[in-house]
Coordinates of all heavy atoms in Angstrom, one line a residue:
M1 N 28.0 21.8 0.1 CA 29.1 21.1 -0.5 C 29.2 19.7 0.1 O 29.1 19.5 1.3 CB 30.4 21.9 -0.3 CG 31.6 21.1 -0.8 SD 33.2 21.9 -1.1 CE 33.5 22.9 0.2
T2 N 29.5 18.7 -0.7 CA 29.7 17.4 -0.3 C 31.1 17.2 0.3 O 32.1 17.6 -0.3 CB 29.5 16.4 -1.4 OG1 28.2 16.6 -2.0 CG2 29.6 15.0 -1.0
E3 N 31.2 16.5 1.5 CA 32.4 16.2 2.1 C 32.9 14.8 1.7 O 32.1 13.9 1.6 CB 32.4 16.4 3.6 CG 32.2 17.8 4.0 CD 32.4 18.0 5.5 OE1 33.2 17.2 6.1 OE2 31.9 18.9 6.0
V4 N 34.1 14.7 1.4 CA 34.7 13.4 1.0 C 35.7 13.0 2.1 O 36.5 13.8 2.6 CB 35.5 13.5 -0.3 CG1 36.1 12.2 -0.7 CG2 34.5 13.9 -1.4
K5 N 35.6 11.7 2.6 CA 36.5 11.2 3.6 C 37.8 10.9 3.0 O 37.9 10.3 1.9 CB 35.9 9.9 4.2 CG 36.8 9.3 5.3 CD 36.2 8.1 5.9 CE 37.2 7.5 6.9 NZ 36.6 6.3 7.5
V6 N 38.9 11.4 3.7 CA 40.2 11.1 3.3 C 41.0 10.6 4.5 O 40.9 11.2 5.6 CB 40.9 12.4 2.7 CG1 42.4 12.1 2.3 CG2 40.1 13.0 1.5
T7 N 41.7 9.5 4.3 CA 42.6 9.1 5.4 C 44.1 9.2 4.9 O 44.3 9.2 3.7 CB 42.4 7.6 5.8 OG1 42.5 6.8 4.6 CG2 41.0 7.5 6.4
Y8 N 45.0 9.4 5.8 CA 46.4 9.5 5.5 C 47.3 8.9 6.5 O 47.1 9.1 7.7 CB 46.7 11.0 5.4 CG 48.2 11.3 5.0 CD1 48.8 10.8 3.9 CD2 49.0 12.1 5.8 CE1 50.1 11.1 3.5 CE2 50.3 12.4 5.5 CZ 50.8 11.9 4.3 OH 52.1 12.1 4.0
D9 N 48.3 8.1 6.0 CA 49.3 7.5 6.9 C 50.6 8.0 6.5 O 51.2 7.6 5.4 CB 49.2 6.0 6.8 CG 50.2 5.3 7.8 OD1 51.2 5.9 8.2 OD2 49.9 4.1 8.1
K10 N 51.1 9.0 7.2 CA 52.4 9.6 6.9 C 53.6 8.7 6.9 O 54.5 8.8 6.1 CB 52.7 10.8 7.8 CG 53.9 11.6 7.4 CD 54.1 12.9 8.3 CE 55.3 13.7 7.8 NZ 55.5 14.8 8.6
S11 N 53.5 7.7 7.8 CA 54.6 6.8 7.9 C 54.9 6.0 6.6 O 56.1 5.6 6.4 CB 54.4 5.8 9.1 OG 53.3 5.0 8.9
V12 N 53.9 5.8 5.8 CA 54.1 5.1 4.5 C 53.7 6.1 3.4 O 53.7 5.7 2.2 CB 53.3 3.8 4.4 CG1 53.8 2.8 5.4 CG2 51.8 4.1 4.6
D13 N 53.4 7.3 3.7 CA 53.0 8.4 2.7 C 51.9 7.9 1.8 O 52.0 8.0 0.6 CB 54.2 8.8 2.0 CG 54.0 10.2 1.3 OD1 53.0 10.9 1.7 OD2 54.8 10.5 0.4
A14 N 50.8 7.4 2.4 CA 49.7 6.8 1.6 C 48.4 7.5 2.0 O 48.2 7.6 3.2 CB 49.6 5.3 1.7
A15 N 47.6 7.9 1.1 CA 46.3 8.4 1.4 C 45.2 7.6 0.6 O 45.5 7.0 -0.4 CB 46.2 9.9 0.9
Y16 N 44.0 7.7 1.2 CA 42.9 7.0 0.5 C 41.7 8.0 0.5 O 41.4 8.6 1.5 CB 42.5 5.8 1.2 CG 41.6 4.9 0.4 CD1 42.2 3.9 -0.5 CD2 40.2 5.0 0.4 CE1 41.4 3.2 -1.3 CE2 39.5 4.2 -0.4 CZ 40.1 3.3 -1.3 OH 39.3 2.5 -2.1
V17 N 41.2 8.2 -0.7 CA 40.0 9.1 -0.8 C 38.8 8.2 -1.1 O 38.8 7.4 -2.1 CB 40.2 10.1 -2.0 CG1 39.1 11.0 -2.2 CG2 41.5 10.9 -1.9
Y18 N 37.8 8.3 -0.2 CA 36.6 7.5 -0.3 C 35.5 8.2 -1.1 O 35.2 9.4 -0.8 CB 36.1 7.2 1.1 CG 37.0 6.4 2.0 CD1 38.1 7.0 2.6 CD2 36.8 5.0 2.1 CE1 39.0 6.2 3.4 CE2 37.7 4.2 2.9 CZ 38.8 4.8 3.5 OH 39.6 4.1 4.2
F19 N 34.8 7.5 -1.9 CA 33.7 8.0 -2.7 C 32.4 7.3 -2.3 O 31.5 7.2 -3.1 CB 33.9 7.9 -4.2 CG 35.1 8.7 -4.6 CD1 36.1 8.2 -5.4 CD2 35.1 10.1 -4.3 CE1 37.2 8.9 -5.8 CE2 36.2 10.9 -4.8 CZ 37.2 10.3 -5.5
T20 N 32.4 6.7 -1.1 CA 31.2 6.0 -0.6 C 30.6 6.8 0.5 O 31.3 7.7 1.1 CB 31.5 4.6 -0.1 OG1 32.5 4.7 0.9 CG2 32.0 3.7 -1.3
E21 N 29.3 6.5 0.9 CA 28.7 7.2 2.0 C 29.5 6.8 3.3 O 29.9 5.6 3.3 CB 27.3 6.9 2.1 CG 26.5 7.4 0.8 CD 25.0 7.4 1.0 OE1 24.6 7.6 2.2 OE2 24.3 7.3 0.0
P22 N 29.6 7.7 4.2 CA 30.4 7.3 5.4 C 30.0 6.1 6.1 O 30.8 5.3 6.6 CB 30.2 8.6 6.3 CG 29.9 9.7 5.4 CD 29.1 9.0 4.2
Q23 N 28.7 5.8 6.2 CA 28.2 4.6 6.9 C 28.3 3.3 6.1 O 28.1 2.2 6.6 CB 26.8 4.8 7.4 CG 25.8 4.9 6.4 CD 25.6 6.3 5.8 OE1 26.4 7.2 6.0 NE2 24.5 6.5 5.1
V24 N 28.6 3.4 4.8 CA 28.7 2.2 3.9 C 30.1 1.7 3.9 O 31.1 2.4 3.7 CB 28.3 2.6 2.5 CG1 28.5 1.5 1.5 CG2 26.8 3.1 2.5
R25 N 30.3 0.4 4.1 CA 31.6 -0.3 4.0 C 31.6 -1.0 2.7 O 31.5 -2.3 2.6 CB 31.7 -1.3 5.2 CG 31.7 -0.6 6.6 CD 32.9 0.0 7.0 NE 33.9 -0.9 7.5 CZ 35.1 -0.6 7.8 NH1 35.4 0.7 7.7 NH2 35.9 -1.4 8.2
A26 N 31.9 -0.3 1.6 CA 31.9 -1.0 0.3 C 33.2 -1.7 0.2 O 34.3 -1.3 0.7 CB 31.8 0.1 -0.8
R27 N 33.2 -2.9 -0.5 CA 34.4 -3.7 -0.7 C 34.8 -3.5 -2.2 O 34.0 -3.5 -3.1 CB 34.1 -5.1 -0.4 CG 33.8 -5.4 1.0 CD 33.9 -6.9 1.3 NE 33.8 -7.1 2.7 CZ 34.9 -7.4 3.4 NH1 36.1 -7.4 2.9 NH2 34.8 -7.6 4.7
S28 N 36.1 -3.5 -2.3 CA 36.6 -3.4 -3.7 C 36.6 -4.7 -4.4 O 37.0 -5.7 -3.9 CB 38.1 -2.9 -3.6 OG 38.7 -2.9 -4.9
A29 N 35.9 -4.7 -5.5 CA 35.9 -6.0 -6.3 C 36.9 -6.0 -7.4 O 37.3 -7.0 -8.0 CB 34.5 -6.1 -7.0
H30 N 37.4 -4.8 -7.8 CA 38.4 -4.6 -8.8 C 39.3 -3.4 -8.6 O 38.8 -2.3 -8.3 CB 37.7 -4.5 -10.2 CG 38.7 -4.3 -11.3 ND1 39.5 -5.3 -11.8 CD2 39.0 -3.2 -12.0 CE1 40.3 -4.8 -12.8 NE2 40.0 -3.6 -12.9
M31 N 40.6 -3.6 -8.7 CA 41.5 -2.5 -8.5 C 42.2 -2.3 -9.8 O 42.7 -3.2 -10.5 CB 42.5 -2.8 -7.4 CG 43.4 -1.6 -7.0 SD 45.0 -1.6 -8.0 CE 45.8 -3.1 -7.4
Y32 N 42.2 -1.0 -10.3 CA 42.9 -0.7 -11.5 C 44.1 0.2 -11.1 O 44.0 1.3 -10.7 CB 42.0 0.1 -12.4 CG 42.7 0.6 -13.7 CD1 42.9 -0.3 -14.7 CD2 43.1 1.9 -13.8 CE1 43.6 0.2 -15.9 CE2 43.8 2.3 -14.9 CZ 44.0 1.4 -16.0 OH 44.7 1.9 -17.1
P33 N 45.4 -0.3 -11.3 CA 46.5 0.5 -11.0 C 46.9 1.4 -12.2 O 46.8 1.0 -13.3 CB 47.6 -0.6 -10.8 CG 47.2 -1.7 -11.6 CD 45.7 -1.7 -11.7
C34 N 47.1 2.7 -11.9 CA 47.5 3.6 -12.9 C 49.0 3.4 -13.1 O 49.8 3.1 -12.2 CB 47.3 5.0 -12.5 SG 45.6 5.4 -12.3
A35 N 49.5 3.6 -14.4 CA 50.9 3.3 -14.7 C 51.8 4.3 -14.0 O 51.7 5.5 -14.1 CB 51.1 3.5 -16.2
P36 N 52.7 3.7 -13.2 CA 53.6 4.6 -12.4 C 54.4 5.5 -13.3 O 54.7 6.7 -12.9 CB 54.5 3.6 -11.7 CG 53.8 2.3 -11.7 CD 52.9 2.3 -12.9
V37 N 54.8 5.2 -14.5 CA 55.5 6.1 -15.4 C 54.7 7.3 -15.7 O 55.2 8.4 -15.8 CB 55.9 5.3 -16.6 CG1 56.6 6.3 -17.7 CG2 56.9 4.2 -16.3
D38 N 53.4 7.1 -15.9 CA 52.5 8.2 -16.3 C 52.3 9.2 -15.1 O 52.0 10.4 -15.4 CB 51.2 7.7 -16.8 CG 51.4 6.9 -18.1 OD1 52.4 7.1 -18.8 OD2 50.5 6.1 -18.4
V39 N 52.3 8.8 -13.9 CA 52.0 9.6 -12.8 C 53.1 9.8 -11.8 O 53.0 10.5 -10.8 CB 50.7 9.1 -12.0 CG1 49.5 9.1 -12.9 CG2 51.0 7.8 -11.4
D40 N 54.3 9.2 -12.1 CA 55.5 9.4 -11.2 C 55.1 9.0 -9.8 O 55.4 9.7 -8.8 CB 56.0 10.8 -11.3 CG 57.4 10.9 -10.6 OD1 58.1 9.9 -10.6 OD2 57.7 12.0 -10.1
G41 N 54.5 7.8 -9.6 CA 54.1 7.3 -8.3 C 53.1 6.2 -8.6 O 53.0 5.7 -9.7
M42 N 52.3 5.9 -7.6 CA 51.3 4.9 -7.8 C 50.0 5.4 -7.3 O 49.8 5.9 -6.2 CB 51.7 3.6 -7.0 CG 50.7 2.5 -7.2 SD 50.5 1.9 -8.9 CE 51.7 0.7 -9.0
I43 N 49.0 5.2 -8.2 CA 47.6 5.6 -7.8 C 46.7 4.4 -8.3 O 46.8 4.0 -9.4 CB 47.2 6.9 -8.6 CG1 48.1 8.1 -8.1 CG2 45.7 7.2 -8.3 CD1 47.8 9.4 -8.8
N44 N 46.0 3.9 -7.3 CA 45.1 2.8 -7.6 C 43.6 3.2 -7.5 O 43.2 3.9 -6.5 CB 45.4 1.7 -6.6 CG 46.8 1.2 -6.6 OD1 47.3 0.9 -7.7 ND2 47.4 1.0 -5.5
L45 N 42.9 2.8 -8.5 CA 41.4 3.1 -8.5 C 40.7 1.8 -8.0 O 40.9 0.7 -8.6 CB 41.0 3.5 -9.9 CG 41.7 4.6 -10.5 CD1 41.2 4.9 -11.9 CD2 41.6 5.9 -9.7
D46 N 39.8 1.9 -7.0 CA 39.0 0.8 -6.5 C 37.6 0.9 -7.0 O 37.0 2.0 -6.9 CB 39.0 0.7 -5.0 CG 40.4 0.3 -4.5 OD1 41.1 -0.4 -5.2 OD2 40.7 0.7 -3.3
F47 N 37.1 -0.2 -7.6 CA 35.7 -0.2 -8.1 C 34.9 -1.3 -7.3 O 35.5 -2.4 -6.9 CB 35.7 -0.6 -9.6 CG 36.3 0.5 -10.4 CD1 37.7 0.5 -10.6 CD2 35.5 1.5 -10.9 CE1 38.3 1.5 -11.4 CE2 36.1 2.5 -11.7 CZ 37.5 2.5 -11.9
D48 N 33.6 -1.1 -7.1 CA 32.8 -2.1 -6.5 C 32.3 -3.2 -7.5 O 32.7 -3.1 -8.7 CB 31.6 -1.5 -5.7 CG 30.6 -0.9 -6.6 OD1 30.6 -1.0 -7.8 OD2 29.7 -0.2 -6.0
E49 N 31.5 -4.1 -7.1 CA 31.0 -5.2 -8.0 C 30.1 -4.7 -9.1 O 29.9 -5.4 -10.1 CB 30.3 -6.3 -7.2 CG 29.1 -5.9 -6.5 CD 29.3 -5.2 -5.2 OE1 30.4 -5.1 -4.7 OE2 28.2 -4.8 -4.6
H50 N 29.6 -3.4 -9.0 CA 28.8 -2.8 -10.0 C 29.6 -1.9 -11.0 O 29.0 -1.3 -11.8 CB 27.6 -2.1 -9.4 CG 26.8 -2.9 -8.5 ND1 26.0 -3.9 -8.9 CD2 26.7 -2.9 -7.1 CE1 25.4 -4.5 -7.9 NE2 25.8 -3.9 -6.8
G51 N 30.9 -1.8 -10.8 CA 31.7 -1.0 -11.6 C 31.8 0.5 -11.2 O 32.3 1.3 -12.0
R52 N 31.3 0.8 -10.0 CA 31.3 2.2 -9.5 C 32.6 2.4 -8.8 O 33.1 1.6 -8.0 CB 30.1 2.4 -8.6 CG 28.8 2.4 -9.3 CD 27.7 2.7 -8.3 NE 27.6 1.6 -7.3 CZ 26.5 0.9 -7.0 NH1 25.4 1.3 -7.5 NH2 26.6 -0.1 -6.2
L53 N 33.2 3.6 -9.0 CA 34.4 4.0 -8.4 C 34.1 4.2 -6.9 O 33.2 5.1 -6.6 CB 35.0 5.3 -9.0 CG 36.3 5.8 -8.4 CD1 37.4 4.8 -8.6 CD2 36.6 7.1 -9.1
I54 N 34.8 3.5 -6.0 CA 34.5 3.7 -4.6 C 35.7 4.4 -3.8 O 35.5 4.8 -2.7 CB 34.2 2.3 -3.9 CG1 35.3 1.3 -4.1 CG2 32.9 1.8 -4.5 CD1 35.2 0.1 -3.3
G55 N 36.8 4.5 -4.5 CA 37.9 5.1 -3.8 C 39.2 5.1 -4.6 O 39.3 4.4 -5.6
I56 N 40.1 6.0 -4.2 CA 41.4 6.1 -4.8 C 42.5 6.1 -3.7 O 42.5 6.8 -2.8 CB 41.5 7.5 -5.5 CG1 40.5 7.6 -6.6 CG2 42.9 7.7 -6.1 CD1 40.4 9.0 -7.3
E57 N 43.4 5.2 -3.9 CA 44.6 5.1 -3.1 C 45.8 5.8 -3.7 O 46.0 5.6 -4.9 CB 45.0 3.6 -2.9 CG 46.3 3.4 -2.0 CD 46.7 2.0 -1.9 OE1 46.6 1.3 -2.9 OE2 47.2 1.6 -0.9
V58 N 46.4 6.7 -3.0 CA 47.5 7.5 -3.5 C 48.7 7.2 -2.7 O 48.8 7.5 -1.5 CB 47.1 9.0 -3.5 CG1 48.3 9.8 -4.1 CG2 45.8 9.3 -4.2
L59 N 49.7 6.6 -3.4 CA 51.0 6.4 -2.7 C 51.9 7.6 -3.1 O 51.7 8.2 -4.2 CB 51.6 5.1 -3.2 CG 50.7 3.8 -2.9 CD1 51.3 2.6 -3.4 CD2 50.3 3.7 -1.5
A60 N 52.9 7.9 -2.3 CA 53.7 9.1 -2.4 C 52.7 10.3 -2.4 O 52.8 11.3 -3.1 CB 54.5 9.1 -3.7
A61 N 51.7 10.2 -1.4 CA 50.7 11.2 -1.3 C 51.2 12.6 -1.0 O 50.6 13.6 -1.5 CB 49.7 10.8 -0.3
G62 N 52.3 12.7 -0.3 CA 52.8 14.0 0.0 C 53.2 14.8 -1.2 O 53.2 16.1 -1.1
S63 N 53.5 14.2 -2.3 CA 53.9 14.9 -3.5 C 52.8 14.9 -4.5 O 52.9 15.6 -5.6 CB 55.2 14.3 -4.1 OG 54.9 13.0 -4.6
K64 N 51.7 14.2 -4.3 CA 50.6 14.1 -5.2 C 49.3 14.9 -4.8 O 48.6 15.3 -5.7 CB 50.2 12.7 -5.5 CG 51.3 11.8 -5.9 CD 51.6 12.1 -7.4 CE 52.8 11.4 -7.8 NZ 54.1 12.1 -7.9
L65 N 49.1 15.1 -3.5 CA 47.9 15.7 -3.0 C 48.2 17.1 -2.4 O 49.3 17.2 -1.8 CB 47.2 14.8 -2.0 CG 46.7 13.5 -2.6 CD1 46.1 12.6 -1.5 CD2 45.7 13.7 -3.7
P66 N 47.3 18.0 -2.4 CA 47.5 19.3 -1.8 C 47.7 19.1 -0.2 O 47.1 18.3 0.4 CB 46.3 20.1 -2.0 CG 45.4 19.3 -3.0 CD 46.0 17.9 -3.0
E67 N 48.6 20.0 0.3 CA 48.9 19.9 1.7 C 47.6 20.1 2.6 O 47.5 19.4 3.6 CB 49.9 21.0 2.1 CG 50.4 20.9 3.5 CD 51.5 22.0 3.8 OE1 52.0 22.6 2.9 OE2 51.8 22.1 5.0
Y68 N 46.7 21.0 2.2 CA 45.5 21.2 3.0 C 44.7 20.0 3.1 O 44.1 19.7 4.2 CB 44.7 22.4 2.4 CG 43.8 22.0 1.3 CD1 42.5 21.5 1.6 CD2 44.2 22.0 0.0 CE1 41.6 21.1 0.6 CE2 43.3 21.6 -1.0 CZ 42.0 21.1 -0.7 OH 41.2 20.7 -1.7
L69 N 44.7 19.1 2.1 CA 43.9 17.9 2.1 C 44.5 16.9 3.1 O 43.9 16.3 3.9 CB 43.8 17.3 0.7 CG 42.9 16.1 0.5 CD1 41.4 16.5 0.8 CD2 43.0 15.6 -0.9
L70 N 45.9 16.8 3.0 CA 46.5 15.9 3.9 C 46.4 16.3 5.4 O 46.3 15.5 6.3 CB 48.0 15.7 3.5 CG 48.2 15.1 2.1 CD1 49.7 15.1 1.8 CD2 47.6 13.7 2.0
K71 N 46.5 17.6 5.6 CA 46.3 18.2 7.0 C 45.0 17.9 7.6 O 44.8 17.8 8.8 CB 46.7 19.7 7.0 CG 48.1 19.9 7.0 CD 48.4 21.4 7.2 CE 49.9 21.6 7.3 NZ 50.3 23.0 7.6
S72 N 43.9 17.9 6.7 CA 42.6 17.7 7.2 C 42.2 16.2 7.2 O 41.1 15.9 7.6 CB 41.6 18.5 6.3 OG 41.6 18.1 5.0
A73 N 43.0 15.4 6.6 CA 42.7 13.9 6.5 C 42.7 13.3 7.9 O 43.4 13.7 8.8 CB 43.7 13.2 5.6
E74 N 41.9 12.2 8.0 CA 41.9 11.4 9.2 C 43.3 10.7 9.2 O 43.6 10.0 8.3 CB 40.8 10.4 9.2 CG 40.8 9.4 10.3 CD 39.7 8.3 10.1 OE1 38.7 8.6 9.5 OE2 39.9 7.2 10.6
R75 N 44.0 10.8 10.3 CA 45.3 10.2 10.4 C 45.3 8.8 10.8 O 44.5 8.4 11.8 CB 46.2 11.0 11.4 CG 46.4 12.5 11.0 CD 47.2 12.5 9.7 NE 48.5 12.0 9.8 CZ 49.6 12.7 10.1 NH1 49.5 14.0 10.2 NH2 50.8 12.1 10.2
L76 N 46.0 8.0 10.2 CA 46.1 6.5 10.5 C 47.5 6.2 11.2 O 47.8 5.1 11.4 CB 46.0 5.7 9.2 CG 44.7 5.9 8.5 CD1 44.7 5.0 7.2 CD2 43.5 5.6 9.4
D77 N 48.3 7.3 11.4 CA 49.6 7.1 12.1 C 49.6 8.0 13.3 O 48.7 8.8 13.5 CB 50.7 7.4 11.2 CG 50.7 8.8 10.6 OD1 49.6 9.4 10.6 OD2 51.7 9.3 10.2
A78 N 50.7 8.0 14.0 CA 50.8 8.8 15.2 C 51.6 10.1 15.0 O 51.6 11.0 15.9 CB 51.4 8.0 16.4
D79 N 52.2 10.3 13.8 CA 53.0 11.4 13.5 C 52.1 12.6 13.2 O 51.0 12.5 12.7 CB 54.0 11.2 12.4 CG 55.0 10.1 12.7 OD1 55.2 9.9 13.9 OD2 55.5 9.5 11.8
D80 N 52.7 13.8 13.4 CA 52.1 15.0 12.9 C 52.6 15.4 11.5 O 53.7 15.1 11.2 CB 52.4 16.2 13.9 CG 51.7 16.0 15.2 OD1 50.6 15.5 15.3 OD2 52.3 16.5 16.2
I81 N 51.8 16.0 10.8 CA 52.2 16.5 9.4 C 53.1 17.7 9.6 O 52.8 18.6 10.3 CB 51.0 16.8 8.5 CG1 50.2 15.5 8.2 CG2 51.4 17.5 7.2 CD1 49.0 15.7 7.4

């Protein structure tokens, strides 16, 4: 099974799901925001210069992502989940 890197900052309740290889530092060339009304929060899709999806930023992540995923995510804050 392929592992996907996920980071989470509980202090701002934001998570990022990476779709790039761990050693690759891809830069976002285009961000597509999903309509907040449609998802009851904010989800941003990041694409590279070739139009490939490189990651998803999830705001209000605590209510959008499964708890097991947030617990296993790399923490960017000092708080515990």
